[in-house]
Amino acid sequence: MASRHPDRGGSSESRASKEPPLSPEEQARALCLRLLTGNPRTRKQLADAMRKREIPDDVAEQLLERFQEAGLIDDQAFANAWVESRHRGRGLARRALARELQTRGVDAELVTEAVAQLDSDQEEERARELVDRKLRTTRGLERDKRLRRLAGMLARKGYPEGLALRVVRRALEEEGQDEPDVLEYHPLG
């Protein structure tokens, strides 16, 4: 005998078991809408999610086309927003941003266009901001160790070696630590 839920007046049996199962098209649509509700997704991310749920490729492709035509999927807009957000928020350089977009399945041409939003001056300015913030935490260390840590931090964020070293050296110079530690001569007496 099925128990009754006092608030609903129905049995505790799942309503889903009484409804006919969703067609592959309905499953695909529901999945994509749910995924797009939280965050923007690339076409490839949605295709991968449908493949994982074993939705037939032809059904997935038709749905992706309809969503793209309706503007629900826009890889260029995704890439542009990604570059803006991750450069400003995490301080990532063009190289790191391009790598992240490629792993999300954005077409190489769209990646190139998106990272082109950032020019060398913007990238260098952001690198300076990152170094300035981190510089305080390295005070008290010897110059070479500070140089390696700060340049390494920039390298992990995708900044080219030459730019990283130039920015770090300039920051150390401005701080007054422009030369390697040299023993000073103090005459006796």
Side-chain angles (χ1 to χ4, degrees), residues 47-63:
D48 290 347
M50 287 188 283
R51 194 170 298 113
K52 188 176 177 181
R53 295 281 173 97
E54 298 180 359
I55 294 182
D57 288 343
D58 60 327
V59 171
E61 188 57 36
Q62 287 175 359
L63 181 74

PDB file of all heavy atoms in Angstrom, residues 47-63:
ATOM      1  N   ALA A  47      27.952  19.897 -26.396  1.00  0.00           N
ATOM      2  CA  ALA A  47      28.007  18.650 -27.174  1.00  0.00           C
ATOM      3  C   ALA A  47      28.600  17.524 -26.332  1.00  0.00           C
ATOM      4  O   ALA A  47      28.095  16.393 -26.347  1.00  0.00           O
ATOM      5  CB  ALA A  47      28.824  18.868 -28.444  1.00  0.00           C
ATOM      6  N   ASP A  48      29.658  17.834 -25.587  1.00  0.00           N
ATOM      7  CA  ASP A  48      30.279  16.823 -24.720  1.00  0.00           C
ATOM      8  C   ASP A  48      29.310  16.345 -23.641  1.00  0.00           C
ATOM      9  O   ASP A  48      29.245  15.151 -23.331  1.00  0.00           O
ATOM     10  CB  ASP A  48      31.550  17.376 -24.070  1.00  0.00           C
ATOM     11  CG  ASP A  48      32.686  17.562 -25.053  1.00  0.00           C
ATOM     12  OD1 ASP A  48      32.603  17.052 -26.198  1.00  0.00           O
ATOM     13  OD2 ASP A  48      33.674  18.248 -24.682  1.00  0.00           O
ATOM     14  N   ALA A  49      28.542  17.268 -23.059  1.00  0.00           N
ATOM     15  CA  ALA A  49      27.572  16.902 -22.022  1.00  0.00           C
ATOM     16  C   ALA A  49      26.491  15.987 -22.587  1.00  0.00           C
ATOM     17  O   ALA A  49      26.087  15.015 -21.937  1.00  0.00           O
ATOM     18  CB  ALA A  49      26.947  18.162 -21.416  1.00  0.00           C
ATOM     19  N   MET A  50      26.044  16.279 -23.805  1.00  0.00           N
ATOM     20  CA  MET A  50      25.021  15.425 -24.411  1.00  0.00           C
ATOM     21  C   MET A  50      25.589  14.060 -24.783  1.00  0.00           C
ATOM     22  O   MET A  50      24.918  13.043 -24.617  1.00  0.00           O
ATOM     23  CB  MET A  50      24.412  16.121 -25.632  1.00  0.00           C
ATOM     24  CG  MET A  50      23.494  17.270 -25.248  1.00  0.00           C
ATOM     25  SD  MET A  50      22.588  17.972 -26.631  1.00  0.00           S
ATOM     26  CE  MET A  50      23.843  18.957 -27.418  1.00  0.00           C
ATOM     27  N   ARG A  51      26.825  14.033 -25.248  1.00  0.00           N
ATOM     28  CA  ARG A  51      27.462  12.759 -25.587  1.00  0.00           C
ATOM     29  C   ARG A  51      27.604  11.900 -24.330  1.00  0.00           C
ATOM     30  O   ARG A  51      27.375  10.689 -24.353  1.00  0.00           O
ATOM     31  CB  ARG A  51      28.834  13.017 -26.221  1.00  0.00           C
ATOM     32  CG  ARG A  51      29.429  11.800 -26.906  1.00  0.00           C
ATOM     33  CD  ARG A  51      30.669  12.139 -27.730  1.00  0.00           C
ATOM     34  NE  ARG A  51      30.351  13.073 -28.808  1.00  0.00           N
ATOM     35  CZ  ARG A  51      30.800  14.347 -28.864  1.00  0.00           C
ATOM     36  NH1 ARG A  51      31.599  14.819 -27.938  1.00  0.00           N
ATOM     37  NH2 ARG A  51      30.466  15.128 -29.863  1.00  0.00           N
ATOM     38  N   LYS A  52      27.963  12.545 -23.223  1.00  0.00           N
ATOM     39  CA  LYS A  52      28.106  11.832 -21.949  1.00  0.00           C
ATOM     40  C   LYS A  52      26.775  11.219 -21.510  1.00  0.00           C
ATOM     41  O   LYS A  52      26.746  10.146 -20.916  1.00  0.00           O
ATOM     42  CB  LYS A  52      28.612  12.807 -20.885  1.00  0.00           C
ATOM     43  CG  LYS A  52      28.975  12.188 -19.579  1.00  0.00           C
ATOM     44  CD  LYS A  52      29.552  13.229 -18.640  1.00  0.00           C
ATOM     45  CE  LYS A  52      29.860  12.633 -17.291  1.00  0.00           C
ATOM     46  NZ  LYS A  52      30.394  13.643 -16.374  1.00  0.00           N
ATOM     47  N   ARG A  53      25.680  11.888 -21.826  1.00  0.00           N
ATOM     48  CA  ARG A  53      24.340  11.382 -21.493  1.00  0.00           C
ATOM     49  C   ARG A  53      23.789  10.467 -22.584  1.00  0.00           C
ATOM     50  O   ARG A  53      22.619  10.100 -22.556  1.00  0.00           O
ATOM     51  CB  ARG A  53      23.371  12.548 -21.289  1.00  0.00           C
ATOM     52  CG  ARG A  53      23.705  13.418 -20.104  1.00  0.00           C
ATOM     53  CD  ARG A  53      23.240  12.753 -18.809  1.00  0.00           C
ATOM     54  NE  ARG A  53      23.681  13.475 -17.650  1.00  0.00           N
ATOM     55  CZ  ARG A  53      22.955  14.358 -16.986  1.00  0.00           C
ATOM     56  NH1 ARG A  53      21.732  14.621 -17.375  1.00  0.00           N
ATOM     57  NH2 ARG A  53      23.448  14.968 -15.941  1.00  0.00           N
ATOM     58  N   GLU A  54      24.625  10.144 -23.545  1.00  0.00           N
ATOM     59  CA  GLU A  54      24.292   9.215 -24.631  1.00  0.00           C
ATOM     60  C   GLU A  54      23.123   9.692 -25.482  1.00  0.00           C
ATOM     61  O   GLU A  54      22.284   8.901 -25.930  1.00  0.00           O
ATOM     62  CB  GLU A  54      24.046   7.818 -24.073  1.00  0.00           C
ATOM     63  CG  GLU A  54      25.271   7.240 -23.388  1.00  0.00           C
ATOM     64  CD  GLU A  54      25.063   5.843 -22.822  1.00  0.00           C
ATOM     65  OE1 GLU A  54      23.943   5.292 -22.943  1.00  0.00           O
ATOM     66  OE2 GLU A  54      26.033   5.316 -22.267  1.00  0.00           O
ATOM     67  N   ILE A  55      23.080  10.982 -25.729  1.00  0.00           N
ATOM     68  CA  ILE A  55      22.086  11.542 -26.644  1.00  0.00           C
ATOM     69  C   ILE A  55      22.646  11.359 -28.053  1.00  0.00           C
ATOM     70  O   ILE A  55      23.818  11.664 -28.292  1.00  0.00           O
ATOM     71  CB  ILE A  55      21.822  13.023 -26.306  1.00  0.00           C
ATOM     72  CG1 ILE A  55      21.156  13.045 -24.930  1.00  0.00           C
ATOM     73  CG2 ILE A  55      21.001  13.704 -27.375  1.00  0.00           C
ATOM     74  CD1 ILE A  55      20.765  14.346 -24.383  1.00  0.00           C
ATOM     75  N   PRO A  56      21.853  10.845 -28.974  1.00  0.00           N
ATOM     76  CA  PRO A  56      22.347  10.596 -30.335  1.00  0.00           C
ATOM     77  C   PRO A  56      22.950  11.860 -30.963  1.00  0.00           C
ATOM     78  O   PRO A  56      22.451  12.972 -30.775  1.00  0.00           O
ATOM     79  CB  PRO A  56      21.093  10.150 -31.096  1.00  0.00           C
ATOM     80  CG  PRO A  56      20.157   9.652 -30.037  1.00  0.00           C
ATOM     81  CD  PRO A  56      20.445  10.463 -28.813  1.00  0.00           C
ATOM     82  N   ASP A  57      24.036  11.677 -31.691  1.00  0.00           N
ATOM     83  CA  ASP A  57      24.762  12.801 -32.294  1.00  0.00           C
ATOM     84  C   ASP A  57      23.884  13.655 -33.207  1.00  0.00           C
ATOM     85  O   ASP A  57      23.992  14.872 -33.195  1.00  0.00           O
ATOM     86  CB  ASP A  57      25.981  12.301 -33.076  1.00  0.00           C
ATOM     87  CG  ASP A  57      27.093  11.802 -32.164  1.00  0.00           C
ATOM     88  OD1 ASP A  57      27.072  12.127 -30.952  1.00  0.00           O
ATOM     89  OD2 ASP A  57      27.997  11.096 -32.665  1.00  0.00           O
ATOM     90  N   ASP A  58      23.013  13.013 -33.989  1.00  0.00           N
ATOM     91  CA  ASP A  58      22.179  13.800 -34.901  1.00  0.00           C
ATOM     92  C   ASP A  58      21.191  14.680 -34.131  1.00  0.00           C
ATOM     93  O   ASP A  58      20.944  15.829 -34.505  1.00  0.00           O
ATOM     94  CB  ASP A  58      21.447  12.903 -35.907  1.00  0.00           C
ATOM     95  CG  ASP A  58      20.520  11.883 -35.243  1.00  0.00           C
ATOM     96  OD1 ASP A  58      20.836  11.411 -34.126  1.00  0.00           O
ATOM     97  OD2 ASP A  58      19.482  11.554 -35.847  1.00  0.00           O
ATOM     98  N   VAL A  59      20.664  14.188 -33.039  1.00  0.00           N
ATOM     99  CA  VAL A  59      19.751  14.964 -32.196  1.00  0.00           C
ATOM    100  C   VAL A  59      20.516  16.126 -31.565  1.00  0.00           C
ATOM    101  O   VAL A  59      20.045  17.269 -31.554  1.00  0.00           O
ATOM    102  CB  VAL A  59      19.123  14.068 -31.099  1.00  0.00           C
ATOM    103  CG1 VAL A  59      18.349  14.895 -30.088  1.00  0.00           C
ATOM    104  CG2 VAL A  59      18.228  13.011 -31.731  1.00  0.00           C
ATOM    105  N   ALA A  60      21.699  15.839 -31.055  1.00  0.00           N
ATOM    106  CA  ALA A  60      22.521  16.875 -30.424  1.00  0.00           C
ATOM    107  C   ALA A  60      22.869  17.971 -31.426  1.00  0.00           C
ATOM    108  O   ALA A  60      22.755  19.165 -31.114  1.00  0.00           O
ATOM    109  CB  ALA A  60      23.797  16.253 -29.852  1.00  0.00           C
ATOM    110  N   GLU A  61      23.263  17.577 -32.613  1.00  0.00           N
ATOM    111  CA  GLU A  61      23.662  18.553 -33.632  1.00  0.00           C
ATOM    112  C   GLU A  61      22.492  19.456 -34.022  1.00  0.00           C
ATOM    113  O   GLU A  61      22.655  20.674 -34.156  1.00  0.00           O
ATOM    114  CB  GLU A  61      24.233  17.836 -34.865  1.00  0.00           C
ATOM    115  CG  GLU A  61      24.850  18.748 -35.886  1.00  0.00           C
ATOM    116  CD  GLU A  61      25.974  19.611 -35.339  1.00  0.00           C
ATOM    117  OE1 GLU A  61      26.738  19.158 -34.483  1.00  0.00           O
ATOM    118  OE2 GLU A  61      26.075  20.776 -35.780  1.00  0.00           O
ATOM    119  N   GLN A  62      21.307  18.876 -34.200  1.00  0.00           N
ATOM    120  CA  GLN A  62      20.125  19.676 -34.545  1.00  0.00           C
ATOM    121  C   GLN A  62      19.811  20.689 -33.444  1.00  0.00           C
ATOM    122  O   GLN A  62      19.531  21.854 -33.715  1.00  0.00           O
ATOM    123  CB  GLN A  62      18.918  18.775 -34.775  1.00  0.00           C
ATOM    124  CG  GLN A  62      18.965  17.994 -36.057  1.00  0.00           C
ATOM    125  CD  GLN A  62      17.792  17.018 -36.164  1.00  0.00           C
ATOM    126  OE1 GLN A  62      16.960  16.922 -35.266  1.00  0.00           O
ATOM    127  NE2 GLN A  62      17.739  16.291 -37.278  1.00  0.00           N
ATOM    128  N   LEU A  63      19.879  20.247 -32.200  1.00  0.00           N
ATOM    129  CA  LEU A  63      19.588  21.135 -31.083  1.00  0.00           C
ATOM    130  C   LEU A  63      20.640  22.249 -30.989  1.00  0.00           C
ATOM    131  O   LEU A  63      20.301  23.420 -30.790  1.00  0.00           O
ATOM    132  CB  LEU A  63      19.538  20.359 -29.769  1.00  0.00           C
ATOM    133  CG  LEU A  63      19.216  21.240 -28.562  1.00  0.00           C
ATOM    134  CD1 LEU A  63      17.744  21.625 -28.575  1.00  0.00           C
ATOM    135  CD2 LEU A  63      19.577  20.546 -27.283  1.00  0.00           C
TER     136      LEU A  63
END
